[in-house]
């Protein structure tokens, strides 16, 4: 049994260590991290999952980005400790966190990931939305949290503060 709660400042370094374990410390060299530089994750959407002993088992973060004049959430990273994988915790983190997005005024979410995995959560390939290179366009996926939220949205994904 896991308790999924919003991430707090006290969770920060433990979450960073989990991301390093799951993705290697070189993960911050990825182009998607340039969209996160000096930008604070979206309050209330980034979550952690802890077991009954309080041990961190998984985490998910969201970042604000812009595509032209449109705002969007950038999902990622989502990670589950290797000893906890296969228990449905990734699904629980995604579903629990996304249910809070629309009430906070967010209508669209994008990520860079494997379509076969993320299709089950309602994500599909975004055409016309470009992540910073060298991102494979087939891995740029989006989900509308409000019907038609991606209609007419195209262009390069930019940092929130630019």
């Amino acid at each position: 049994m896991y308790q999924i709660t919003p991430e707090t400042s006290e969770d920060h370094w433990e979450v960073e260590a989990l991301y390093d374990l799951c993705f290697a410390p070189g993960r911050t060299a990825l182009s998607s991290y340039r969209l996160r530089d000096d930008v604070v994750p979206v309050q209330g959407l980034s979550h952690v999952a802890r077991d009954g002993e309080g041990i961190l088992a998984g985490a998910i973060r969201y970042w604000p980005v812009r595509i032209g004049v449109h705002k969007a959430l950038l999902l990622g990273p989502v990670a589950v400790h290797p000893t906890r994988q296969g228990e449905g915790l990734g699904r629980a983190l995604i579903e629990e966190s996304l249910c809070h997005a629309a009430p906070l005024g967010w209508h669209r979410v994008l990520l860079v990931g494997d379509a076969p995995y993320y299709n089950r959560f309602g994500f599909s390939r975004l055409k016309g939305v470009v992540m910073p290179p060298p991102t494979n366009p087939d891995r740029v996926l989006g989900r509308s949290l409000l019907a038609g939220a991606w209609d007419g949205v195209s262009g390069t994904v930019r940092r929130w503060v630019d």
Side-chain angles (χ1 to χ4, degrees):
M1 184 70 170
Y2 297 102
Q3 182 177 16
I4 297 175
T5 59
E7 182 182 342
T8 68
S9 59
E10 290 79 29
D11 298 315
H12 178 81
W13 291 113
E14 196 174 4
V15 170
E16 287 294 315
L18 175 65
Y19 288 153
D20 284 348
L21 174 67
C22 292
F23 302 113
R27 67 187 164 84
T28 59
L30 297 172
S31 59
S32 61
Y33 272 82
R34 300 304 64 82
L35 299 169
R36 300 172 180 137
D37 286 342
D38 300 319
V39 178
V40 178
V42 177
Q43 188 78 350
L45 291 182
S46 299
H47 282 68
V48 296
R50 294 187 179 277
D51 67 13
E53 303 296 318
I55 297 170
L56 183 69
I60 188 169
R61 284 186 176 153
Y62 291 87
W63 308 84
V65 293
R66 295 192 185 282
I67 304 118
V69 298
H70 304 280
K71 70 178 190 173
L73 290 170
L74 175 61
L75 185 161
V78 57
V80 174
H81 193 281
T83 62
R84 306 301 176 91
Q85 291 178 3
E87 299 177 8
L89 190 51
R91 171 182 292 279
L93 281 163
I94 292 168
E95 291 176 350
E96 173 65 23
S97 60
L98 280 178
C99 77
H100 299 282
L104 293 174
W106 297 96
H107 302 152
R108 61 190 67 80
V109 182
L110 77 133
L111 58 82
V112 177
D114 297 320
Y117 179 77
Y118 288 103
N119 288 157
R120 67 185 89 181
F121 305 110
F123 287 87
S124 59
R125 169 114 163 40
L126 288 174
K127 295 181 181 169
V129 174
V130 180
M131 287 289 288
T135 305
N136 178 345
D138 291 334
R139 294 176 52 83
V140 179
L141 310 175
R143 175 178 160 178
S144 293
L145 302 176
L146 183 68
W150 283 106
D151 294 352
V153 178
S154 64
T156 301
V157 180
R158 297 179 299 117
R159 290 177 65 238
W160 183 255
V161 294
D162 286 346

